[in-house]
Amino acid sequence: MTLRWAIPALALCVVLPWLPGLPLFWVTLANLIGISAIVVTGLVVLTGIGGMTSFAQASFLGFGAYTTAILSTRYGLNPWLGLPAAMAAAGLAAAAIGAITLRLKAHYLALGTIAWSVSLFFLFGNLDILGRNDGISAIPPLTIAGFRLVDVRLSATLIGVSVVGVIAATHNLLDSRWGRAIRALRGGAMAAASCGVDIARARMLAFVYAALLAGLAGWLFAHLQRAVNPTPFGLYAGIQYLLMAVVGGAAYLPGALLGSALVVIVNDRLQDWLPKLLGTSGNFEIIAFGLLLVLVLQVAPEGLWPHITRRRRHTHPRPIAAMALPKRVAAQANRAFEVANLRRNFGGLVAVADLSFTLAPGELLALIGPNGAGKSTSFNLLTGVTRPSAGTVHLMGRDVTGLSAPAMAEGGVARSFQHVKLVAGMSVIENVALGAHLRGHASPLRSILRLDRAEEARQFAEAATQLAHVGLGDLADRPATSLALGQQRIVEIARALAADPAVLLLDEPAAGLRHAEKQVLAALLRRLAASGMAILLVEHDMDFVMNLADRLVVMDFGTVIAEGPPEQIRQNPAVIEAYLGGVA
Ligand code: ADP
Ligand code: MG
């Protein structure tokens, strides 16, 4: 999606409300749709893309609305100045709530937001300063050059412009370094962490961003309705926003607009028809909405937008800049890795008992051993996924024992995974660009304002270079998960290389590769080692390893039973006994 749509959309926002003969009632409905779409856009980022379900968005709307309502009625603040205040209030509330709640995962987080929604609703309804259940009325309208924005058609223009701005800003955010981090949260968090992404920070970013949008919507709401009370900020409203996101297509920006329009219009019609149909009034819409949700999810599980357009989230080719990213970590020390007496217990089970080895820059070291020997656990210890129970790890002379995965990445470690972890919904080149996360510096705000283009171009140029390096340059714009498994493995290596690592750890890189592909991979790894990179690989394919590695470390039952160059290992009786015993 490019932003070419924005200019005609803005023009429509100015012209459409004044169409002769257009019933004002429709304009009012459109305004409601627009305000909802702003909240729902936040949910697209948070829930549809980031994978965090929130029922509390109406509460953040409340923070925004009440803040500007109080400031403008009690303290006479200019309603326009209420906008930054409303967004700040919603954002700060989200930061505080998020700090407590975002540790929860999946449905526990959803339940957490329900709890917040309920308690904040009671807070709004019980504070004297907020007017209790009556709320605050006589909120001043917005004015432009002394002209009061009380006509719904003028409001429509303001709301329309806000919606366009919000969608553009969100598009920009998602199409950036931090956007890739947010897009990796659902399903790719471990991979993103290995690229140095601070996962907790990415989650918080999505949460606060969604709340900022809700705060903006709350500000619009307060000054256009000119009165606020707790009702629109309760759990029921929160559920409706989520419904809009899901119906429209929670992972798609246009889905926010589509879902809002559908739910607002259906809601309006139902309030008309249901009492006539049932002969009695009551909140029967809730039941109808439940049915609507079930129906939509049956027909279009990803929501209506992708169903209608029949498109997956698409990817777009990137301009390639000439300038390279700065090198990140210089392999200066004469020891890339120094591992001493590393140990890891799982309860009573000793997965790694005593692992010691060193790895020099430019060396290709293979870690081998029978199933259950502790190779994967060692790998996790060295990449910060698992903390050691005892022992030390030095990375280029620096003690990095027990550091987290992003911290290890920061220190110069990059890795691939035994079970490939590419981010679905991102193109091949975007996945590789995720690897360059730490080599960029653009903040989310810079990205939203599109001031990050030069750096983005360089990140993508680096990604393209690495893809060409591993021989997959032609596949850059394909959806990553559409590739054959063997190719996905190679993409992971390109992603690791995009981080400009000093140490490269590869977990079974040859698995699933054809013979010719293995030879290409071996040549690539030799080239990398020759350039000074330290490479540690875990591998099952003995032919591959014996022909490639400078040195092998053989593990069995969590300890090193042999170490040396391939020709020695091949003849080592302990290795033949423990490792090749069954075969020999
Ligand atoms: P390898 O990769 O060499 O096949 P692993 O490191 O995966 O071996 O496993 C070594 C031992 O540790 C195995 O007995 C395995 O069952 C155990 N193990 C690995 N991870 C865990 C875990 N998270 N919890 C409990 N036991 C584990
Ligand atoms: Mg393993």
Side-chain angles (χ1 to χ4, degrees), residues 344-347 349-352 368-380 386 418 507-508 538 540 555 558:
R344 172 70 204 204
N345 311 324
F346 291 110
L349 183 114
V350 184
V352 173
I368 64 170
N371 258 333
K375 305 182 296 294
S376 290
T377 306
S378 304
F379 212 90
N380 288 336
T386 311
Q418 182 177 348
D507 203 348
E508 304 215 8
V538 168
H540 263 126
M555 287 183 85

Coordinates of all heavy atoms in Angstrom, one line a residue, residues 344-347 349-352 368-380 386 418 507-508 538 540 555 558, ligand 1:
R344 N 23.7 -26.9 32.6 CA 22.2 -26.5 32.6 C 21.4 -27.7 33.1 O 21.4 -28.8 32.5 CB 21.7 -26.1 31.3 CG 20.3 -25.8 31.2 CD 19.8 -24.7 32.0 NE 18.4 -24.8 32.3 CZ 17.5 -23.8 32.6 NH1 18.0 -22.5 32.6 NH2 16.3 -24.0 32.9
N345 N 20.7 -27.5 34.2 CA 19.8 -28.6 34.7 C 18.3 -28.2 34.3 O 18.0 -27.0 34.3 CB 19.8 -28.7 36.2 CG 21.3 -28.8 36.7 OD1 22.1 -29.4 36.0 ND2 21.5 -28.2 37.8
F346 N 17.5 -29.2 34.0 CA 16.1 -29.0 34.0 C 15.5 -29.9 35.1 O 15.4 -31.1 34.9 CB 15.5 -29.4 32.6 CG 15.9 -28.5 31.5 CD1 16.8 -29.0 30.5 CD2 15.4 -27.2 31.4 CE1 17.2 -28.2 29.5 CE2 15.8 -26.4 30.3 CZ 16.7 -26.9 29.4
G347 N 15.2 -29.3 36.2 CA 14.8 -30.1 37.4 C 15.9 -31.0 37.7 O 17.1 -30.6 37.9
L349 N 17.0 -33.3 35.6 CA 17.7 -33.8 34.4 C 18.9 -32.8 34.1 O 18.7 -31.6 34.1 CB 16.7 -33.8 33.3 CG 17.3 -34.3 32.0 CD1 16.7 -35.6 31.6 CD2 17.2 -33.3 30.9
V350 N 20.0 -33.4 33.9 CA 21.2 -32.6 33.5 C 21.3 -32.6 32.0 O 21.7 -33.6 31.4 CB 22.5 -33.1 34.1 CG1 23.6 -32.1 33.8 CG2 22.3 -33.2 35.6
A351 N 20.9 -31.5 31.3 CA 20.9 -31.5 29.8 C 22.3 -31.2 29.3 O 22.8 -31.8 28.4 CB 19.9 -30.4 29.3
V352 N 23.0 -30.2 30.0 CA 24.4 -30.0 29.7 C 25.1 -30.0 31.0 O 24.8 -29.3 32.0 CB 24.5 -28.6 29.1 CG1 26.0 -28.2 28.9 CG2 23.9 -28.5 27.7
I368 N 28.7 -31.7 17.5 CA 27.9 -32.9 17.1 C 27.7 -33.8 18.3 O 28.3 -33.6 19.4 CB 28.6 -33.7 16.0 CG1 30.0 -34.2 16.4 CG2 28.8 -32.8 14.7 CD1 30.6 -35.2 15.4
G369 N 26.9 -34.8 18.1 CA 26.6 -35.7 19.2 C 25.3 -36.4 18.9 O 24.4 -35.9 18.2
P370 N 25.0 -37.5 19.5 CA 23.8 -38.3 19.3 C 22.6 -37.5 19.9 O 22.7 -36.5 20.6 CB 24.0 -39.6 20.1 CG 25.1 -39.3 21.0 CD 25.9 -38.3 20.4
N371 N 21.4 -37.9 19.5 CA 20.2 -37.3 20.0 C 20.1 -37.2 21.5 O 20.5 -38.2 22.1 CB 19.0 -38.1 19.5 CG 18.3 -37.4 18.3 OD1 18.4 -36.1 18.2 ND2 17.6 -38.1 17.5
G372 N 19.8 -36.0 22.0 CA 19.7 -35.9 23.5 C 21.0 -35.6 24.1 O 21.1 -35.5 25.3
A373 N 22.0 -35.4 23.3 CA 23.4 -35.2 23.9 C 23.4 -33.8 24.6 O 24.3 -33.6 25.4 CB 24.4 -35.2 22.8
G374 N 22.6 -32.9 24.2 CA 22.6 -31.5 24.8 C 23.0 -30.5 23.8 O 23.3 -29.3 24.3
K375 N 23.0 -30.7 22.5 CA 23.4 -29.7 21.6 C 22.5 -28.5 21.5 O 23.0 -27.4 21.6 CB 23.5 -30.4 20.2 CG 24.4 -31.6 20.1 CD 24.4 -32.2 18.7 CE 23.1 -32.6 18.2 NZ 22.5 -33.8 18.9
S376 N 21.2 -28.8 21.4 CA 20.3 -27.7 21.3 C 20.3 -26.8 22.5 O 20.2 -25.6 22.5 CB 18.9 -28.2 21.0 OG 18.8 -28.7 19.7
T377 N 20.4 -27.5 23.7 CA 20.4 -26.8 24.9 C 21.7 -25.9 25.0 O 21.6 -24.7 25.4 CB 20.4 -27.8 26.1 OG1 19.3 -28.6 26.0 CG2 20.3 -27.0 27.4
S378 N 22.8 -26.4 24.5 CA 24.0 -25.7 24.5 C 23.8 -24.4 23.6 O 24.2 -23.3 24.0 CB 25.2 -26.5 23.9 OG 25.4 -27.7 24.7
F379 N 23.2 -24.7 22.5 CA 22.9 -23.6 21.5 C 22.1 -22.5 22.2 O 22.4 -21.3 22.0 CB 22.1 -24.2 20.4 CG 22.4 -23.6 19.1 CD1 23.4 -24.0 18.2 CD2 21.6 -22.5 18.6 CE1 23.6 -23.5 17.0 CE2 21.9 -21.9 17.4 CZ 22.9 -22.4 16.6
N380 N 21.1 -22.9 22.9 CA 20.2 -21.9 23.6 C 21.0 -21.2 24.7 O 20.7 -20.0 24.9 CB 19.0 -22.6 24.2 CG 18.0 -23.0 23.1 OD1 18.0 -22.5 22.0 ND2 17.2 -24.0 23.4
T386 N 18.3 -19.6 26.9 CA 18.3 -20.3 28.2 C 19.4 -19.8 29.1 O 20.5 -19.5 28.5 CB 18.4 -21.8 28.0 OG1 17.5 -22.2 27.0 CG2 18.2 -22.6 29.3
Q418 N 16.7 -24.4 14.4 CA 16.5 -25.7 13.9 C 15.2 -25.8 13.2 O 15.1 -26.4 12.1 CB 16.7 -26.7 15.0 CG 16.5 -28.2 14.6 CD 16.7 -29.2 15.7 OE1 17.2 -28.8 16.8 NE2 16.4 -30.4 15.5
D507 N 21.9 -23.8 13.6 CA 21.3 -25.0 14.2 C 20.8 -25.9 13.0 O 19.8 -25.6 12.4 CB 20.2 -24.7 15.1 CG 20.0 -25.9 16.1 OD1 20.5 -26.9 15.9 OD2 19.2 -25.7 17.1
E508 N 21.5 -26.9 12.6 CA 21.2 -27.8 11.5 C 20.9 -27.1 10.2 O 19.8 -27.2 9.7 CB 20.1 -28.7 11.9 CG 20.3 -29.4 13.2 CD 19.7 -30.8 13.2 OE1 19.2 -31.2 12.2 OE2 19.8 -31.5 14.3
V538 N 25.6 -26.7 14.7 CA 25.1 -28.0 15.1 C 24.6 -28.7 13.9 O 23.9 -28.1 13.1 CB 24.0 -27.9 16.1 CG1 23.3 -29.2 16.4 CG2 24.5 -27.3 17.4
H540 N 23.6 -32.6 11.8 CA 23.5 -34.1 11.9 C 24.2 -34.7 10.7 O 24.6 -35.9 10.8 CB 22.0 -34.5 11.8 CG 21.4 -34.7 13.2 ND1 20.3 -34.1 13.6 CD2 21.9 -35.5 14.1 CE1 20.1 -34.5 14.9 NE2 21.0 -35.4 15.2
M555 N 29.7 -34.1 21.7 CA 29.0 -34.2 23.0 C 28.3 -35.5 23.2 O 27.8 -36.1 22.2 CB 28.0 -33.1 23.2 CG 28.5 -31.7 23.4 SD 27.1 -30.6 23.6 CE 26.8 -30.7 25.4
G558 N 25.6 -34.6 27.7 CA 25.9 -33.3 28.2 C 27.3 -32.9 28.4 O 27.6 -31.9 29.0
Ligands
ADP1 P1 20.1 -32.5 21.4 O1 19.9 -31.2 20.8 O2 21.6 -32.9 21.4 O3 19.4 -33.6 20.7 P2 18.9 -31.4 23.7 O4 19.8 -30.3 24.1 O5 17.7 -31.0 22.9 O6 19.7 -32.5 22.9 O7 18.4 -32.2 25.0 C1 19.3 -32.7 26.0 C2 18.4 -33.3 27.1 O8 17.8 -32.2 27.8 C3 17.4 -34.2 26.6 O9 17.3 -35.3 27.5 C4 16.1 -33.4 26.6 O10 15.0 -34.2 26.8 C5 16.4 -32.5 27.8 N1 15.7 -31.1 27.6 C6 16.0 -30.3 26.7 N2 15.3 -29.1 26.8 C7 14.5 -29.3 28.0 C8 13.6 -28.5 28.7 N3 13.2 -27.3 28.3 N4 13.0 -29.1 29.8 C9 13.4 -30.3 30.2 N5 14.2 -31.1 29.6 C10 14.8 -30.6 28.5

